[in-house]
Amino acid sequence: MVAVMEQPKTKERSAAASREAEGRRSPLARIRNIGIMAHIDAGKTTTSERMLFYTGRLYKMGEVHDGTAVMDWMAQEQERGITITSAATTCFWHDHQINIIDTPGHVDFTVEVERALRVLDGAVGIFCGVAGVQPQSETVWRQAKHYKIPCLAFVNKMDRMGANFERVLRQLREKLAAPVVPLQLPVGAEDDFCGVIDLLSMRMLCFDEGTLGAEVIECEIPHGMRDHAELERGGLVETLAEKDEKVLEAYMVNANVDGEILMHAIRRLTLSNTIVPVLCGSALKNKGIQPLLDAVCRYLPSPIDIDHVQGHHPKTEEIVERECNDQAPLSCLAFKIATDPYIGKLAFVRVYSGILKKGQNVYNPRTQKRDRLGRIVRLHANHREEVDALYAGEIGGIAGMKQVTTGDTLCAENQPVILERIDFPDPVMAMAIEPRSQADKKSLQDALDALSEEDPTFKIAMDEETGQTIIRGMGELHLEILKDRMFREFKVQARAGKPMVAYRETISGEAQAENTFEREIGGRGQFAHIVLAVKPRERSQGTVIECHVSQMKLPAEFRDAAINGIKDGLATGVLGNYPLVDMAVDIVGATVHPTDSTDIAFRTAAVMALRDAVKTGHPQLLEPIMALEIITPEECMGDVLGDINGRRGRVKQMEATEVAQIIRADVPLSELFGYATSLRSLTKGRASYSMEPKHFEIVPETIQESILNR
């Protein structure tokens, strides 16, 4: 097997190495922080398990379908055979330390992918050799590109019926606009898949079944594939020569460019996001994982290959840059909070600079408080290994810090910095929950607080009219898992209602309203007069608040109070108390009394003026629309299409593959409750589907009335 090449040291890498502490396990140049990301059921967790087995981190492979996968350690994950929460672990391959985060593929848990990608340096996208690029594949790929993360692609399940490597490459180019460059070719297809051809070394790699694929055997390329392999290698060299000067120079001398020159070029181009190397294999059949590990070490970045992390100073707002080395001032980001049954609240952190030491004081700019570090741990799924320190470029956990939340920066107090926080999507589904008895009230609240700390997309609110506690999440499965965890982990006795759609409100016309608040409270006058103008914005544009009143007419303290009042008013609309979105609110007039005007008066006047303006601005109800993808046998297609039309769905695209028909449609979320059961019934269990939130649309008037009259 081809050994992992030694990376040439640059001046920057040498400088960083000179400032590395003695206690670290691996030099910075040999650390890889990677995420495994894909659509549900593409094989992420199975691939992670094989990586851990071949690197010696596990001595027995776990299987998702048996509920024995180490990375899927939650009871809910083992029962359902899906990943719900991202799990972190560390393994070693050819003197490289690889920190792996296995992320969920279900759209309801997309927040887990978002916050993992925020702190990772590279990612491996897993794509099913049969299904190719699926909806959640597109979502996680967009997330990776948002953070400018260099990626590898691994086409999995090449042993499955209908697997087609060329079709997946075509979909990667067309659907993801990914500049893919295949480094391997599959040998055989479906049941006959037996190995891969390495286009750099021009050797075939086979994986010994007697050692569960641990022994990799190099051999000659089969005679019938030699011409095709040479053609593909020529295409690879030409592609690299177009993008890299050193390959072009070598190509001008000899068209058969040496493999090591190509490796260095692939690394440079991958780090600059110019290309995406593609490999293939079958994780379940133990084929192709060691070359994938080699590619991770060869082509994905170390912490010193990426740009220095940037933040801003909490007081001056100046841009602050932190270089990744142990001697720099401490800066790390808490990207996830978990509740551990043995050590309590656990914060997952990525150390960007400096050293996080046990017992030291760290500063949290959000709370403006110091906190003393208790236990520091390395992570291996749900197992913890206590350590004395985490070094720059590493990922680990800290226990016992009560004030820390997702997105907090922990840093040195004398050189503070606030790193960019993570943006999370708004929930689209709600559910009422209440304790079975008065005695269960506190335990329910404690469980809700703990779960909302862990999951930023899980929101808790109180319905003012009914007094019920309403929980909101990203979908039916999300709320079902949260409810199950309350009952199992927190031993809460509670009753939960049926899931409900989290609607929004907006306006369809421009309007203006004014309000004069004039009261006497506690013997003192309270006065405020404000004029607001509102107008609609395009869908998904969000809400903006502006003020076109001079400081003379509306001083800064009353301006801030009025804006806060508008924000309060936007939280509950006028139709069904749903949040107001996609509108512009402008303060166009105000009157201040020299002695009686107060913050409270302006805040109250702003709320009342906003409600009056919205009422005359033709308020509308918005509902979430889901992008639905269904894979169904051709003979069931008519029934499935008829069912979609009956659910107010709009078919956007139909695609025929060798084994099935793919239907893509936009369907209101309110029409998709219980859809899994209906689809199974229509197709005798032969179809599958996936969906993700797409946008909000105005609810038709006839349906709007029935929703508001419930």
Side-chain angles (χ1 to χ4, degrees), residues 249-401:
E249 290 172 6
Y251 181 71
M252 299 300 289
V253 176
N254 182 359
N256 187 22
V257 180
D258 183 69
E260 190 158 326
I261 294 175
L262 298 179
M263 283 184 197
H264 288 296
I266 292 167
R267 177 174 176 77
R268 287 191 294 271
L269 295 171
T270 304
L271 296 187
S272 64
N273 278 304
T274 306
I275 65 169
V276 175
V278 184
L279 299 92
C280 61
S282 169
L284 186 63
K285 296 297 176 66
N286 311 315
K287 292 177 171 65
I289 303 303
Q290 292 95 325
L292 177 60
L293 283 164
D294 286 345
V296 166
C297 298
R298 286 174 182 160
Y299 308 129
L300 290 184
S302 72
I304 55 175
D305 290 315
I306 60 174
D307 294 336
H308 298 163
V309 68
Q310 285 190 341
H312 65 271
H313 194 283
K315 292 182 179 177
T316 65
E317 296 294 324
E318 290 180 0
I319 298 295
V320 178
E321 203 171 71
R322 287 281 189 268
E323 182 184 350
C324 184
N325 72 69
D326 298 334
Q327 310 304 326
L330 175 68
S331 66
C332 55
L333 184 74
F335 65 94
K336 176 176 174 175
I337 305 297
T339 303
D340 189 285
Y342 302 107
I343 60 178
K345 185 174 176 179
L346 181 70
F348 289 46
V349 294
R350 159 73 190 262
V351 182
Y352 283 99
S353 62
I355 305 174
L356 197 64
K357 295 179 181 177
K358 186 177 179 179
Q360 80 178 107
N361 286 325
V362 293
Y363 179 68
N364 186 337
R366 181 183 62 83
T367 61
Q368 299 181 4
K369 291 181 180 178
R370 287 194 307 272
D371 210 340
R372 188 176 179 82
L373 289 181
R375 302 167 70 179
I376 299 179
V377 296
R378 293 194 193 278
L379 305 164
H380 178 51
N382 61 329
H383 301 291
R384 319 284 182 231
E385 173 196 343
E386 282 206 47
V387 293
D388 292 329
L390 290 173
Y391 297 87
E394 294 191 327
I395 292 173
I398 52 178
M401 294 187 68

Side-chain angles (χ1 to χ4, degrees), residues 232-246:
E232 289 294 325
R233 190 184 198 275
L236 169 64
V237 173
E238 289 177 11
T239 301
L240 297 177
E242 289 173 5
K243 302 174 185 295
D244 188 271
E245 289 185 5
K246 292 187 178 179

Side-chain angles (χ1 to χ4, degrees), residues 588-604:
V588 295
T591 306
V592 176
H593 192 278
T595 57
D596 290 351
S597 286
T598 63
D599 292 355
I600 295 173
F602 268 98
R603 190 164 187 155
T604 307

Side-chain angles (χ1 to χ4, degrees), residues 492-508:
V492 170
Q493 298 295 315
R495 287 187 293 266
K498 291 182 179 180
M500 305 171 291
V501 176
Y503 293 99
R504 301 284 188 272
E505 295 181 28
T506 191
I507 54 173
S508 56

Side-chain angles (χ1 to χ4, degrees), residues 185-188 192-197 204-207 280-281 287-288:
L185 294 177
V187 179
D192 296 328
F193 175 67
C194 58
V196 299
I197 294 172
M204 177 178 169
L205 305 178
C206 298
F207 304 88
C280 61
K287 292 177 171 65

Side-chain angles (χ1 to χ4, degrees), residues 140-197:
V140 297
W141 199 263
R142 282 197 304 270
Q143 289 171 320
K145 293 300 106 182
H146 171 72
Y147 291 114
K148 299 179 181 177
I149 294 176
C151 295
L152 301 177
F154 181 70
V155 182
N156 193 25
K157 301 189 179 185
M158 290 306 302
D159 60 309
R160 289 271 300 276
M161 183 180 294
N164 188 318
F165 185 63
E166 292 298 328
R167 185 180 69 237
V168 178
L169 287 177
R170 190 166 60 250
Q171 290 183 358
L172 287 167
R173 293 186 181 105
E174 292 173 359
K175 293 186 177 181
L176 303 182
V180 294
V181 175
L183 305 185
Q184 295 177 344
L185 294 177
V187 179
E190 301 178 352
D191 289 341
D192 296 328
F193 175 67
C194 58
V196 299
I197 294 172

Side-chain angles (χ1 to χ4, degrees), residues 434-441 444 487 492-495:
E434 60 184 25
R436 287 191 179 274
S437 67
Q438 194 65 25
D440 297 316
K441 192 171 182 179
L444 173 62
F487 297 161
V492 170
Q493 298 295 315
R495 287 187 293 266

